[in-house]
Structure formats: structure tokens, C-alpha cells
Amino acid sequence: MNYILKILLSAIVVVVLSQVLPGVYVDTYWTAVIVAVVLSILNVLVKPVLILFTLPVTIMTLGLFLLIINALIIILADKLIRGFDVDGLLWALIFSLLLSLFQSVLYSLLKEDKKH
């Protein structure tokens, strides 16, 4: 149940960011849910492999290269999902940063509700 709630919260954030950022486009709410699911799958399967292959660069940049990896995951999702468009690496980077920020805030609120 918690996973479904996180996917729905992520989908809401994707819709909001697509309305705010001019370089990101999502055509329907269902597409936003698919984007949230695909991003979670890519973060589990592809991201660790990319981190492993780029470990020397990540260490040299003190972890800042992870931002580029996150943007590349967004671009990969753009290529996989019809109805989700990101206009380049810069918009993917901005989208990734804002998505991570909002997800961390919403997920922390979700954890606080469990404690009460």
C-alpha cells in the first residue's frame, strides 16, 4: 500500500512540475503515473549500473556527477514513454532536482503520519 501511495504522490509531483517547467510535458494524468512507475523501475535497475560504471568520475566530482546520472535516467524515461517529453539535459536536470526535492518532502510527511 505504501508503494502505491508513493507512486501516486510522485505522479502528482510529475504533473505539477510539467505545469511549472516549460521544458517538461506530460499529456495525461495516466502518463504521469506511468512516468512515476518507470522512473522507480529505472532507479532500481539502471541507476546502480550507471553509478558503478561512473564511480571514478563520481568520486572526482565529489558526488556531483550523480546529478547527471539522474538527468540521464529522466531522459531515458522520456525515450521510453510516449506522452512524456523533456527538452534536453538542462530541463532533465532541473526536473530531476525538483522531483527529488518534492519527493523527499512528501515522503517525510508520509513517514510522520505513520508515527502518530
Side-chain angles (χ1 to χ4, degrees), residues 40-116:
S40 68
I41 291 170
L42 289 175
N43 280 331
V44 169
L45 298 177
V46 177
K47 189 174 181 179
V49 175
L50 288 176
I51 290 172
L52 185 65
F53 285 142
T54 61
L55 193 58
V57 176
T58 303
I59 291 171
M60 286 179 15
T61 62
L62 302 175
L64 289 176
F65 193 73
L66 293 174
L67 297 173
I68 301 299
I69 291 174
N70 286 339
L72 292 174
I73 296 289
I74 299 292
I75 290 174
L76 182 59
D78 171 24
K79 302 298 181 198
L80 293 174
I81 302 168
R82 197 176 303 227
F84 176 60
D85 285 324
V86 180
D87 293 338
L89 186 64
L90 178 64
W91 287 113
L93 184 63
I94 294 168
F95 180 78
S96 172
L97 286 170
L98 292 175
L99 182 67
S100 297
L101 175 74
F102 286 123
Q103 281 178 338
S104 64
V105 168
L106 290 174
Y107 293 172
S108 69
L109 293 175
L110 187 64
K111 287 181 183 178
E112 281 185 17
D113 288 342
K114 281 186 168 183
K115 291 179 183 176
H116 295 311

